[in-house]
Amino acid sequence: GEDVEQSLFLSVREGDSSVINCTYTDSSSTYLYWYKQEPGAGLQLLTYIFSNMDMKQDQRLTVLLNKKDKHLSLRIADTQTGDSAIYFCAEATDKLIFGTGTRLQVFP
Amino acid sequence: DSGVTQTPKHLITATGQRVTLRCSPRSGDLSVYWYQQSLDQGLQFLIQYYNGEERAKGNILERFSAQQFPDLHSELNLSSLELGDSALYFCASSNWEGRETQYFGPGTRLLVL
């Protein structure tokens, strides 16, 4: 089936690291994406990783890909209150399949 | 700002009515995608157009249709609206027709009363 799964909620203290996890189903996915959605706004592309990579770092963001387990994670270092949002992972097959989204809440 | 524009931002209408949502892709992008985001269904892919032609279809109802015009803007038509059609409708665009990165517009919030 085409299910991309994420946990629904994550709550972290400001300054800590956040790790958002995602499992996908299609091993033929070539790209995997992380999008951020702030309240009342559209989806903002955060980062993506090509399927032949294990890791990608972009400033405070680190994406880890475990192809064997079809597991993708997004680590946000030094999490700030402005990072509070819903984070979607998506796998690209012949179309983009989105996960259910993880709502990240950052408290002071 | 992704460069993708959508109008209107908000739309309130009644059951049984028909509405048209409009999307302008980023300059140079040939593909347009439509998505529906609702509380119970999450983010669902509806349909993709590439350079004026339908390229892929997702969970789009028969009451819904879309088209892409020669200037590459796209319209999503929703007819015989039902309460359950209330949702956020997003448009995204990308350069080509395949699996490349998509950039999303701000969405149109549709409320059917």
Side-chain angles (χ1 to χ4, degrees), chain A residues 14 36 38 60 79-85 87 106:
Chain A
E14 191 175 17
K36 174 184 180 183
E38 296 184 45
R60 292 191 297 121
T79 313
Q80 303 298 306
T81 53
D83 296 324
S84 295
Y87 291 80
V106 183

Side-chain angles (χ1 to χ4, degrees), chain B residues 29-68:
Chain B
D29 283 357
L30 297 176
S31 268
V32 169
Y33 309 77
W34 286 98
Y35 293 85
Q36 180 194 57
Q37 186 179 34
S38 60
L39 281 173
D40 55 342
Q41 295 286 329
L43 195 57
Q44 300 267 324
F45 166 70
L46 295 178
I47 197 164
Q48 178 201 355
Y49 277 81
Y50 172 73
N51 205 20
E53 294 191 2
E54 184 183 303
R55 177 61 68 190
K57 231 171 181 175
N59 302 322
I60 188 165
L61 299 172
E62 284 194 14
R63 300 182 285 109
F64 296 179
S65 65
Q67 53 184 328
Q68 187 178 27

Side-chain angles (χ1 to χ4, degrees), chain A residues 28-31 33 35 37 40-45 48 86 88 92-96 98-100, chain B residues 2 9 35 37 43 45 48 56-58 88 90 97-107 109:
Chain A
S28 68
S29 299
T30 51
Y31 287 95
Y33 297 88
Y35 283 87
Q37 185 178 29
L43 277 75
Q44 172 196 350
L45 176 66
Y48 62 91
I86 302 176
F88 291 91
T93 56
D94 57 343
K95 52 185 181 290
L96 269 188
F98 283 86
T100 49
Chain B
S2 66
K9 201 167 180 179
Y35 293 85
Q37 186 179 34
L43 195 57
F45 166 70
Q48 178 201 355
K57 231 171 181 175
L88 261 174
F90 288 109
E97 58 182 304
R99 305 176 182 188
E100 66 290 344
T101 303
Q102 296 177 26
Y103 294 88
F104 281 73
R109 186 175 292 277

